[in-house]
Amino acid sequence: MKKRLALFLALVMVLSSGMVALGDSGFTDIKDHWAEKEIMALSDLEILRGYADMTYRPEKKLTRAEFVAIINRTLGLSKEAPVNFSDVKTGDWFYKDLALAMDKGYIKGYPDGTFQAKRFISREEAVTVIVRAFDLKGMDKEAPVFKDQAKVKAYAQEPLKIVSAEGYIGGYPDGEFKPQNFISRAEVAKIISKLMEKDQADVIYINGNIYTVNENFDKVEAMAVKNGRFIYVGEEEEARAFTGPKTEIVDLEGQTVLPGLIDSHLHFSGVGSKLQQIDAFWAPKEDILASVKEAAQNAQPGDWIVGRGWNQEVWDPAIFPSKTELDAVAPDNPVVLTRVCGHAIWVNSKALEESAIDATGPTPNPVGGEIIRKNEEDDLAGRYPDIQVGEPIGVMVDTAAGLVTKNKAPDSESKLAEAIQLANDHILSYGITSVRDAGQSREGFERLKAAYEKGKVDLRIYMMASQKDADEFYKIPEADRVGLYDNKLSVRSIKLMADGSLGARSAWMLEPYSDREGHYGDRRYTDEELYQLVSGAAKHGFQVNTHAIGDAANRQVLDAYEKVFKELGSKDYRFAIEHAQILAPEDIPRFKELGVIPSMQFVHATSDLNMAEDRMGPERIKGAYAWRTLLDTGVIIPNGTDAQVELVNPFHGLYAGVTRQTREGKPDGGWYPEQKLTREEALRAYTIWGAYAQFQEDWIGSIEKGKFADFTIIDRDYLSIPESEIKDIEALATFVAGERVYQSDKLATVEE
């Protein structure tokens, strides 16, 4: 502790009392500096050492007299200091000196009042602490207490690069600093002096229409970027003050800049896989069947034909399709086409045969799913004439789909790797810089890590671990799954599934569906099963994100969350309900009361409006897609596309949030227009609110000093164009940590 305290005091001496001399002179040695004698004394006594987790910050400058009084007292103490201890106690020999420094306001300790020794560190490691403690990077003075290794890495990125370049340390893949050799006093001074020089930007952007989405939603004209972060945001004249000999000046020519958009709910690997399959998104049935026929003609015997995106609600009649329609165009290859919502599949007879469905009698429905069979009502209506009553029609809902898909051979590793790169490139082209991946396996996590290591992924991915692999993720140390690859990949949440979808009539409802008598949808868990899953995640320090569409499912999830909160106490859980689509009115205030985040997708309302009221009736619809009602309680709503369920286009979501209309402009005035958002709210939902939902609001989500330079340039002014044009906005360029990772042909034309 004496060594730790002395390090701080020495640093105060050099950098507070001697701050001007260091900054102005640019000297490379401490010789003849007024504090030379004191520094040498501390170093010779080997007191110029600290601890790796030191978090002291100066509260005010010391006069020379104050410093001398304290340093003399410190040097007069016993040289021996304890190596291992857990708490500072009033009886400890160093307590008075520690208390003296704290009482004078020179230092602060941990919030819980403890000072925990980890290990001694070398002087090169102390340089990192020096830089952080004295705010030499121009970061906010109130830096976080670095118990989170990911934040340590992010905050210390610049000084670590400099010290590493000098050969003093070597990386930190396991969260620990690796000293390579000891550093002399002169070299310490040299590095400190270098770090204290005025920041010189790598790039300065001027003449822009820049929406910061900060607390005040300020609009500025310039921003300066250095080492992947914003070092200045504001007026052009002040931004130019950060110009150095190598600084690039970019004239935005009045173009609009937004923070990098955050898609708070999509299926990353699925986005890529969809690009490798038959695209059936909202297509006419005849077009889908033609695509299947073409695929069958080019397929090898035994190949599975796959696709995604069909939606029976846009067909006439709006009924589920049948296996016989697929049999007519692809009789010899198994066919699996996933519904747009992802909660039902359309298959042919070959796929049912290879899955042994009804091979020895009627296959029972699995828990949470249904094999759709022809019924008497279908027979009376003349539907599915080539299928017998009681026979599967070829549509499998939710968990029943697994009875078929489990028999398909998995894609090759090369195809899966290709899907990752396809997804990355496709998503970046829409100005999205960060996504919350809504459910990923342990194998998928390793596959993503490999892609990052090969430089195939530029996006930031906040991954929700799939529930089936939760126990495997719980075993991974936090340092090995959070803040990886310069804060681009993190896993700290678990994805649960409470029910299905409204379109497939598998969302779990409190009352029967209005358009299917006696049917309540499909629940996935008993109350006790859900509670145990939520409790287990919370005890392992994981956030919980639970899919819930129906009002019964939403209530069950809120009840489980509330029970866990009461048992485990108040913490920053940031539990979320994904979709939160249909809510009983009495459950709406509970989100704010419990601190639960409703993570919604605005585009779902405009995609579902052609069938939602048929499913729920005129009363229950009042609690559905209730964005304004929720916001008025004081919650935030992170937004997303739910791609590959919907298209990867955030501007469709912004448009839906503001207008409550389909992209064809229907209905006039918007669907239940009282639930509309303002443009500012919709943009916050796609930026800073999304960052908060993934514990990253300190690093991304707005254009502010100290944050990663994640931003997108778009082709028109989001805040001033007519509402009808919001859906047509295009990203011209996308930047992640200051690096341009996407550029459209339109921008290239403008620059020429």
Coordinates of all heavy atoms in Angstrom, one line a residue, residues 362-425:
P362 N -50.2 -41.0 -36.5 CA -50.1 -39.6 -36.3 C -49.0 -39.2 -35.4 O -48.9 -39.6 -34.2 CB -51.5 -39.2 -35.8 CG -52.4 -40.3 -36.2 CD -51.5 -41.6 -36.2
T363 N -48.0 -38.4 -35.9 CA -46.9 -37.9 -35.0 C -47.5 -36.9 -34.1 O -48.1 -35.9 -34.5 CB -45.8 -37.3 -35.9 OG1 -45.3 -38.3 -36.8 CG2 -44.7 -36.8 -35.0
P364 N -47.2 -37.0 -32.8 CA -47.8 -36.0 -31.8 C -47.1 -34.7 -32.0 O -45.9 -34.6 -32.4 CB -47.5 -36.6 -30.5 CG -46.3 -37.5 -30.7 CD -46.5 -38.1 -32.1
N365 N -47.8 -33.6 -31.6 CA -47.2 -32.3 -31.6 C -46.2 -32.2 -30.5 O -46.5 -32.6 -29.3 CB -48.3 -31.2 -31.4 CG -49.2 -31.0 -32.6 OD1 -48.8 -31.2 -33.7 ND2 -50.5 -30.7 -32.3
P366 N -45.0 -31.6 -30.7 CA -44.1 -31.4 -29.6 C -44.5 -30.2 -28.8 O -45.4 -29.4 -29.2 CB -42.8 -31.1 -30.4 CG -43.2 -30.4 -31.6 CD -44.5 -31.1 -32.0
V367 N -44.0 -30.1 -27.6 CA -44.3 -28.9 -26.7 C -43.9 -27.7 -27.4 O -42.7 -27.6 -27.9 CB -43.6 -29.1 -25.3 CG1 -43.8 -27.8 -24.5 CG2 -44.1 -30.3 -24.6
G368 N -44.8 -26.7 -27.5 CA -44.4 -25.4 -28.1 C -44.5 -25.4 -29.6 O -44.0 -24.5 -30.3
G369 N -45.2 -26.4 -30.2 CA -45.2 -26.4 -31.7 C -46.5 -27.2 -32.1 O -47.2 -27.8 -31.3
E370 N -46.7 -27.2 -33.5 CA -47.9 -27.8 -34.0 C -47.6 -28.3 -35.4 O -47.1 -27.5 -36.2 CB -49.1 -26.9 -34.0 CG -50.4 -27.4 -34.5 CD -51.5 -26.5 -34.5 OE1 -51.3 -25.3 -34.2 OE2 -52.7 -26.9 -34.8
I371 N -48.1 -29.5 -35.7 CA -48.1 -30.0 -37.1 C -49.5 -29.6 -37.7 O -50.5 -30.2 -37.2 CB -47.9 -31.5 -37.2 CG1 -46.6 -31.9 -36.5 CG2 -48.0 -32.0 -38.6 CD1 -46.4 -33.4 -36.4
I372 N -49.6 -28.7 -38.6 CA -50.9 -28.3 -39.1 C -51.4 -29.4 -40.0 O -50.8 -29.9 -40.9 CB -50.7 -27.0 -39.9 CG1 -50.1 -25.8 -39.1 CG2 -52.1 -26.6 -40.5 CD1 -51.0 -25.4 -37.9
R373 N -52.7 -29.8 -39.6 CA -53.3 -30.8 -40.3 C -54.6 -30.3 -40.9 O -55.3 -29.4 -40.4 CB -53.6 -32.0 -39.4 CG -52.4 -32.6 -38.8 CD -52.7 -33.7 -37.7 NE -51.5 -34.3 -37.2 CZ -50.8 -35.3 -37.7 NH1 -51.2 -35.8 -38.8 NH2 -49.7 -35.7 -37.1
K374 N -55.1 -31.0 -42.0 CA -56.3 -30.6 -42.6 C -57.5 -31.0 -41.6 O -57.5 -32.1 -41.1 CB -56.5 -31.3 -43.9 CG -57.8 -31.0 -44.6 CD -57.9 -31.6 -46.0 CE -59.2 -31.3 -46.7 NZ -59.3 -31.9 -48.1
N375 N -58.4 -30.0 -41.4 CA -59.5 -30.3 -40.5 C -60.9 -30.3 -41.3 O -60.9 -30.0 -42.5 CB -59.5 -29.3 -39.4 CG -59.6 -27.8 -39.8 OD1 -60.2 -27.5 -40.9 ND2 -58.9 -27.0 -39.1
E376 N -61.9 -30.5 -40.6 CA -63.3 -30.5 -41.2 C -63.6 -29.2 -41.8 O -64.3 -29.1 -42.9 CB -64.3 -30.9 -40.1 CG -64.2 -32.3 -39.5 CD -64.5 -33.4 -40.6 OE1 -65.0 -33.1 -41.6 OE2 -64.1 -34.5 -40.3
E377 N -63.3 -28.1 -41.2 CA -63.5 -26.8 -41.7 C -62.8 -26.6 -43.1 O -63.4 -26.0 -44.0 CB -63.1 -25.7 -40.7 CG -63.4 -24.3 -41.2 CD -62.9 -23.2 -40.2 OE1 -62.7 -23.6 -39.0 OE2 -62.8 -22.0 -40.6
D378 N -61.6 -27.0 -43.2 CA -60.9 -27.0 -44.4 C -61.6 -27.8 -45.5 O -61.7 -27.4 -46.7 CB -59.5 -27.5 -44.3 CG -58.6 -26.7 -43.4 OD1 -58.7 -25.5 -43.4 OD2 -57.7 -27.3 -42.7
D379 N -62.1 -29.0 -45.1 CA -62.8 -29.8 -46.0 C -64.1 -29.2 -46.6 O -64.3 -29.2 -47.8 CB -63.1 -31.2 -45.4 CG -63.4 -32.3 -46.4 OD1 -62.7 -32.4 -47.4 OD2 -64.3 -33.0 -46.1
L380 N -64.8 -28.6 -45.7 CA -66.1 -27.9 -46.1 C -65.8 -26.8 -47.0 O -66.6 -26.5 -47.9 CB -66.8 -27.5 -44.8 CG -67.5 -28.6 -44.0 CD1 -68.1 -28.0 -42.7 CD2 -68.5 -29.3 -44.8
A381 N -64.7 -26.1 -46.8 CA -64.3 -24.9 -47.6 C -63.6 -25.3 -48.9 O -63.4 -24.4 -49.7 CB -63.4 -24.0 -46.8
G382 N -63.4 -26.6 -49.1 CA -62.8 -27.0 -50.3 C -61.3 -26.8 -50.3 O -60.7 -26.8 -51.4
R383 N -60.6 -26.6 -49.2 CA -59.2 -26.3 -49.1 C -58.4 -27.6 -49.1 O -58.9 -28.6 -48.6 CB -58.8 -25.5 -47.9 CG -59.4 -24.1 -47.9 CD -58.8 -23.2 -46.8 NE -59.3 -23.6 -45.5 CZ -60.3 -22.9 -44.9 NH1 -60.9 -21.9 -45.5 NH2 -60.7 -23.3 -43.7
Y384 N -57.3 -27.6 -49.8 CA -56.4 -28.8 -49.8 C -57.1 -30.1 -50.3 O -57.1 -31.1 -49.7 CB -55.8 -29.1 -48.4 CG -55.3 -27.8 -47.7 CD1 -55.9 -27.5 -46.5 CD2 -54.4 -27.0 -48.2 CE1 -55.5 -26.3 -45.8 CE2 -54.0 -25.8 -47.6 CZ -54.6 -25.5 -46.4 OH -54.2 -24.3 -45.7
P385 N -57.6 -30.0 -51.5 CA -58.4 -31.1 -52.1 C -57.6 -32.4 -52.2 O -58.3 -33.5 -52.2 CB -58.9 -30.6 -53.4 CG -57.9 -29.5 -53.8 CD -57.5 -28.9 -52.5
D386 N -56.3 -32.4 -52.4 CA -55.5 -33.6 -52.5 C -55.0 -34.2 -51.2 O -54.2 -35.1 -51.2 CB -54.3 -33.3 -53.5 CG -54.8 -32.9 -54.8 OD1 -55.8 -33.4 -55.3 OD2 -54.1 -32.0 -55.4
I387 N -55.5 -33.6 -50.1 CA -55.0 -34.1 -48.8 C -56.2 -34.5 -48.0 O -57.3 -33.9 -48.0 CB -54.3 -32.9 -48.1 CG1 -53.1 -32.5 -48.9 CG2 -53.9 -33.3 -46.6 CD1 -52.4 -31.3 -48.3
Q388 N -56.1 -35.6 -47.2 CA -57.2 -36.2 -46.4 C -57.3 -35.4 -45.1 O -56.3 -34.9 -44.6 CB -56.9 -37.6 -46.1 CG -56.8 -38.5 -47.4 CD -58.1 -38.5 -48.1 OE1 -59.2 -38.7 -47.6 NE2 -58.0 -38.4 -49.5
V389 N -58.5 -35.4 -44.5 CA -58.7 -34.8 -43.2 C -57.9 -35.5 -42.2 O -57.8 -36.7 -42.2 CB -60.2 -34.9 -42.8 CG1 -60.4 -34.4 -41.4 CG2 -61.1 -34.0 -43.7
G390 N -57.1 -34.8 -41.4 CA -56.3 -35.3 -40.4 C -54.8 -35.5 -40.9 O -53.9 -35.8 -40.1
E391 N -54.6 -35.3 -42.2 CA -53.3 -35.5 -42.7 C -52.5 -34.1 -42.7 O -53.1 -33.1 -42.8 CB -53.4 -35.9 -44.2 CG -52.1 -36.2 -44.9 CD -52.4 -36.6 -46.4 OE1 -53.5 -37.0 -46.7 OE2 -51.4 -36.6 -47.2
P392 N -51.2 -34.2 -42.4 CA -50.4 -32.9 -42.4 C -50.5 -32.2 -43.8 O -50.4 -32.9 -44.8 CB -49.0 -33.4 -42.2 CG -49.1 -34.7 -41.5 CD -50.3 -35.3 -42.1
I393 N -50.7 -30.9 -43.8 CA -50.8 -30.2 -45.0 C -49.4 -29.7 -45.5 O -49.3 -29.3 -46.7 CB -51.7 -28.9 -44.9 CG1 -51.0 -27.9 -44.0 CG2 -53.1 -29.3 -44.4 CD1 -51.7 -26.5 -44.0
G394 N -48.4 -29.8 -44.7 CA -47.1 -29.4 -45.1 C -46.6 -28.2 -44.4 O -45.6 -27.6 -44.9
V395 N -47.3 -27.7 -43.3 CA -46.8 -26.6 -42.6 C -46.6 -27.0 -41.1 O -47.4 -27.6 -40.5 CB -47.8 -25.4 -42.6 CG1 -47.4 -24.3 -41.7 CG2 -48.0 -24.9 -44.0
M396 N -45.4 -26.7 -40.7 CA -45.0 -27.1 -39.3 C -44.7 -25.8 -38.5 O -43.9 -25.0 -39.0 CB -43.7 -28.0 -39.3 CG -43.7 -29.0 -40.4 SD -44.8 -30.4 -40.1 CE -43.7 -31.3 -38.9
V397 N -45.3 -25.7 -37.4 CA -45.2 -24.4 -36.6 C -44.2 -24.6 -35.4 O -44.3 -25.5 -34.7 CB -46.6 -24.0 -36.1 CG1 -46.4 -22.7 -35.2 CG2 -47.5 -23.7 -37.3
D398 N -43.3 -23.6 -35.3 CA -42.4 -23.5 -34.1 C -41.6 -24.7 -33.9 O -41.0 -25.2 -34.8 CB -43.1 -23.0 -32.9 CG -43.4 -21.5 -33.0 OD1 -42.5 -20.7 -33.3 OD2 -44.5 -21.0 -32.8
T399 N -41.7 -25.4 -32.7 CA -40.9 -26.5 -32.4 C -41.1 -27.7 -33.3 O -40.3 -28.6 -33.4 CB -41.0 -26.9 -30.9 OG1 -42.4 -27.2 -30.7 CG2 -40.5 -25.8 -30.0
A400 N -42.3 -27.7 -33.9 CA -42.6 -28.8 -34.8 C -41.7 -28.8 -36.1 O -41.4 -29.8 -36.7 CB -44.1 -28.8 -35.2
A401 N -41.2 -27.6 -36.4 CA -40.3 -27.5 -37.5 C -39.0 -28.3 -37.3 O -38.5 -28.8 -38.3 CB -40.0 -26.0 -37.8
G402 N -38.6 -28.4 -36.1 CA -37.4 -29.1 -35.8 C -37.5 -30.6 -36.1 O -36.5 -31.3 -36.3
L403 N -38.7 -31.1 -36.1 CA -38.9 -32.5 -36.5 C -38.4 -32.8 -37.9 O -38.0 -33.9 -38.3 CB -40.4 -32.9 -36.4 CG -41.0 -32.8 -35.0 CD1 -42.5 -33.1 -35.1 CD2 -40.3 -33.6 -34.0
V404 N -38.4 -31.7 -38.8 CA -38.0 -31.9 -40.1 C -36.6 -31.4 -40.3 O -35.7 -32.0 -40.9 CB -38.9 -31.1 -41.1 CG1 -38.4 -31.1 -42.5 CG2 -40.3 -31.7 -41.1
T405 N -36.3 -30.2 -39.8 CA -35.0 -29.5 -40.1 C -33.8 -30.3 -39.5 O -32.7 -30.2 -39.9 CB -35.0 -28.1 -39.6 OG1 -35.3 -28.0 -38.2 CG2 -36.0 -27.2 -40.4
K406 N -34.1 -31.1 -38.4 CA -33.0 -31.8 -37.8 C -32.4 -32.9 -38.7 O -31.3 -33.4 -38.5 CB -33.4 -32.5 -36.5 CG -34.4 -33.6 -36.7 CD -34.9 -34.2 -35.4 CE -35.8 -35.4 -35.6 NZ -36.3 -36.0 -34.3
N407 N -33.2 -33.2 -39.8 CA -32.7 -34.2 -40.7 C -31.9 -33.7 -41.9 O -31.4 -34.5 -42.6 CB -34.0 -35.0 -41.2 CG -34.7 -35.7 -40.1 OD1 -34.3 -36.7 -39.5 ND2 -35.9 -35.1 -39.8
K408 N -31.9 -32.4 -42.0 CA -31.1 -31.8 -43.0 C -29.6 -31.7 -42.6 O -29.3 -31.3 -41.5 CB -31.6 -30.4 -43.3 CG -30.7 -29.6 -44.3 CD -31.2 -28.2 -44.5 CE -30.3 -27.3 -45.3 NZ -28.9 -27.2 -44.8
A409 N -28.7 -32.1 -43.4 CA -27.3 -32.1 -43.1 C -26.9 -30.6 -42.9 O -27.3 -29.7 -43.6 CB -26.5 -32.7 -44.3
P410 N -26.0 -30.4 -41.9 CA -25.6 -29.0 -41.6 C -24.8 -28.5 -42.8 O -24.1 -29.2 -43.5 CB -24.8 -29.1 -40.4 CG -24.3 -30.6 -40.3 CD -25.4 -31.4 -41.0
D411 N -24.8 -27.2 -42.9 CA -24.0 -26.5 -44.0 C -22.5 -26.7 -43.7 O -22.1 -26.9 -42.6 CB -24.3 -25.0 -44.0 CG -25.7 -24.7 -44.6 OD1 -26.2 -25.6 -45.3 OD2 -26.2 -23.6 -44.3
S412 N -21.7 -26.7 -44.7 CA -20.3 -26.9 -44.6 C -19.7 -25.7 -43.9 O -20.3 -24.6 -43.9 CB -19.6 -27.0 -46.0 OG -19.8 -25.8 -46.7
E413 N -18.5 -25.8 -43.3 CA -17.9 -24.7 -42.6 C -17.6 -23.6 -43.6 O -17.7 -22.4 -43.3 CB -16.6 -25.2 -42.0 CG -16.8 -25.9 -40.6 CD -17.5 -25.0 -39.6 OE1 -17.2 -23.8 -39.5 OE2 -18.4 -25.5 -38.9
S414 N -17.2 -23.9 -44.8 CA -16.9 -22.9 -45.8 C -18.2 -22.1 -46.2 O -18.1 -20.8 -46.3 CB -16.3 -23.5 -47.1 OG -17.3 -24.4 -47.7
K415 N -19.3 -22.7 -46.2 CA -20.6 -22.0 -46.5 C -21.0 -21.2 -45.4 O -21.5 -20.0 -45.5 CB -21.7 -23.0 -46.9 CG -23.0 -22.4 -47.4 CD -24.0 -23.4 -47.9 CE -25.2 -22.7 -48.4 NZ -26.2 -23.7 -49.0
L416 N -20.8 -21.7 -44.1 CA -21.1 -20.9 -42.9 C -20.2 -19.6 -42.8 O -20.6 -18.6 -42.5 CB -21.0 -21.7 -41.7 CG -22.0 -22.8 -41.6 CD1 -21.7 -23.8 -40.4 CD2 -23.4 -22.3 -41.3
A417 N -18.9 -19.8 -43.2 CA -18.0 -18.7 -43.1 C -18.4 -17.7 -44.2 O -18.3 -16.4 -43.9 CB -16.6 -19.2 -43.4
E418 N -18.8 -18.1 -45.3 CA -19.2 -17.2 -46.4 C -20.5 -16.4 -45.9 O -20.6 -15.2 -46.2 CB -19.6 -18.0 -47.7 CG -20.1 -17.1 -48.8 CD -20.6 -17.9 -50.0 OE1 -21.5 -18.8 -49.8 OE2 -20.2 -17.6 -51.1
A419 N -21.4 -17.1 -45.2 CA -22.6 -16.4 -44.7 C -22.2 -15.3 -43.8 O -22.9 -14.2 -43.8 CB -23.5 -17.4 -44.1
I420 N -21.2 -15.5 -43.0 CA -20.8 -14.4 -42.0 C -20.3 -13.2 -42.8 O -20.7 -12.1 -42.5 CB -19.7 -15.0 -41.1 CG1 -20.3 -16.0 -40.1 CG2 -19.0 -13.8 -40.3 CD1 -19.3 -16.7 -39.2
Q421 N -19.5 -13.4 -43.8 CA -19.0 -12.3 -44.5 C -20.1 -11.6 -45.3 O -20.1 -10.4 -45.4 CB -17.8 -12.7 -45.4 CG -17.1 -11.5 -46.1 CD -15.8 -11.9 -46.6 OE1 -15.4 -13.0 -46.6 NE2 -15.0 -10.9 -47.1
L422 N -21.0 -12.4 -45.9 CA -22.1 -11.8 -46.6 C -23.0 -10.9 -45.7 O -23.4 -9.8 -46.1 CB -23.0 -12.9 -47.2 CG -22.4 -13.7 -48.5 CD1 -23.3 -14.9 -48.8 CD2 -22.3 -12.7 -49.7
A423 N -23.2 -11.5 -44.5 CA -24.0 -10.7 -43.5 C -23.3 -9.4 -43.2 O -24.0 -8.3 -43.1 CB -24.3 -11.5 -42.3
N424 N -22.0 -9.5 -42.9 CA -21.3 -8.3 -42.5 C -21.4 -7.2 -43.6 O -21.7 -6.0 -43.3 CB -19.8 -8.7 -42.2 CG -18.9 -7.5 -42.0 OD1 -18.9 -6.9 -40.9 ND2 -18.1 -7.1 -43.0
D425 N -21.1 -7.6 -44.8 CA -21.1 -6.6 -45.9 C -22.5 -6.0 -46.2 O -22.6 -4.8 -46.4 CB -20.5 -7.3 -47.1 CG -19.1 -7.7 -47.0 OD1 -18.4 -7.3 -46.0 OD2 -18.6 -8.5 -47.8

